[in-house]
Amino acid sequence: MTSSAGRRILIVDDEETLREALQFNLEAEGYEVVTAPDAETVLTMDLRDFDLIILDIMMGEISGLQLARLLRRNPATAAIPIIFCTALDSETDMIEGLDSGADDYIMKPYSLPALKARVRSALRRRAQNLTTPEPPRLNPQDSSSSTRDSAAEHLAYEGLSLDVASKRCFVDGREVKLPRKEFEILSKLLSRPGHIFSREELLRAIWPDEVVVVDRVVDVNITRIRSKIRPYDKNIVTRSGYGYGFIE
């Protein structure tokens, strides 16, 4: 388990009572917690030392969605995990939240143990990213069929290429940016061509520490992946009642 010592968390929410309650509970876990009432305040802060941001959506003139997009565009904050914690509970809201760059989405009212589990999971993934060395960039055209180079962690099908170690995706020589969950799902599918993964399998593999993740999250990420890897989107197939797979 990732140690909470020294981990800095920023809570952004316009509900003072909620901010204070969440701050109290996370500080009791050993985290260093800072709060802000709105996005405007956040934009005046130096965020480089934060390990995680818990963000509401409905706030002031700048919404949480807008703030998340701004943070993702800034190289200094692009890698900081974001968890949306919001009362917006429709499927459309969740999709928009994930599309804005959030790593996770939890709906109010939430259980405190569930939120703490997601915080631990996000921080653990961030720690792994910070300690993983980045190897030399690979040529995405090195293989014309599905392969796995155990030394380089390279997955490829024709012009679709994944450098698993450095988390890069290439489509016909062009680098395509995939958020963490999309990259992990595509890696999973491409690692076993022809195998159909159930939604439950993908949830366990990609969200192992999440306690409240609905099946629809998998569907949303698959749709986003397909839109980014054309013309290889047709290779990701849906088997009704079963799940998803990558077919050569």
Side-chain angles (χ1 to χ4, degrees):
M1 182 177 295
T2 301
S3 171
S4 59
R7 302 290 182 178
R8 300 191 75 213
I9 298 175
L10 174 63
I11 299 170
V12 188
D13 199 301
D14 58 1
E15 295 184 40
E16 183 178 3
T17 302
L18 188 149
R19 289 198 313 272
E20 291 178 349
L22 193 50
Q23 180 179 19
F24 174 82
N25 282 282
L26 290 177
E27 287 181 340
E29 297 288 316
Y31 301 110
E32 180 183 344
V33 181
V34 176
T35 69
D38 50 46
E40 289 83 351
T41 300
V42 174
L43 292 175
T44 68
M45 301 169 62
D46 184 351
L47 303 177
R48 290 173 294 180
D49 291 334
F50 283 97
D51 298 287
L52 174 67
I53 298 173
I54 299 175
L55 183 58
D56 188 20
I57 289 180
M58 297 183 293
M59 301 183 299
E61 294 186 8
I62 301 177
S63 71
L65 294 173
Q66 292 171 305
L67 178 59
R69 294 188 183 103
L70 290 171
L71 296 177
R72 287 293 176 253
R73 292 173 192 155
N74 184 344
T77 57
I80 301 175
I82 295 173
I83 297 177
F84 273 127
C85 186
T86 176
L88 297 177
D89 59 359
S90 74
E91 181 178 291
T92 300
D93 293 323
M94 181 182 68
I95 293 172
E96 189 174 9
L98 294 172
D99 279 341
S100 72
D103 296 83
D104 205 346
Y105 191 103
I106 187 168
M107 291 169 284
K108 302 175 184 176
Y110 54 83
S111 76
L112 194 57
L115 180 60
K116 288 179 179 179
R118 293 181 182 220
V119 166
R120 291 193 299 270
S121 178
L123 291 173
R124 182 161 50 249
R125 292 193 301 266
R126 176 168 170 78
Q128 290 170 348
N129 271 0
L130 292 175
T131 57
T132 300
E134 186 171 301
R137 182 166 174 164
L138 297 174
N139 183 347
Q141 301 294 344
D142 284 346
S143 175
S144 59
S145 62
S146 293
T147 61
R148 181 181 179 91
D149 182 331
S150 59
E153 293 292 311
H154 182 221
L155 296 169
Y157 171 77
E158 296 184 355
L160 174 63
S161 176
L162 298 182
D163 181 346
V164 179
S166 64
K167 315 303 181 189
R168 289 191 175 102
C169 174
F170 300 92
V171 176
D172 294 332
R174 172 178 55 89
E175 185 168 3
V176 174
K177 299 295 184 182
L178 295 181
R180 176 189 302 278
K181 299 301 186 184
E182 294 175 28
F183 189 93
E184 291 179 356
I185 291 173
L186 184 55
S187 298
K188 190 75 173 175
L189 299 182
L190 196 54
S191 69
R192 295 183 63 186
H195 178 81
I196 301 299
F197 293 90
S198 69
R199 289 179 177 83
E200 291 74 19
E201 283 183 280
L202 292 172
L203 284 173
R204 287 195 301 269
I206 310 303
W207 287 269
D209 301 296
E210 311 299 343
V211 292
V212 188
V213 178
V214 296
D215 290 354
R216 180 59 181 160
V217 171
V218 175
D219 303 334
V220 169
N221 279 275
I222 290 289
T223 298
R224 289 159 57 183
I225 292 168
R226 282 173 168 156
S227 71
K228 295 174 182 178
I229 65 168
R230 296 188 180 104
Y232 305 104
D233 57 308
K234 64 182 181 298
N235 296 97
I236 297 180
V237 297
T238 305
R239 292 288 181 259
S240 181
Y242 294 95
Y244 297 99
F246 191 94
I247 306 298
E248 297 180 334

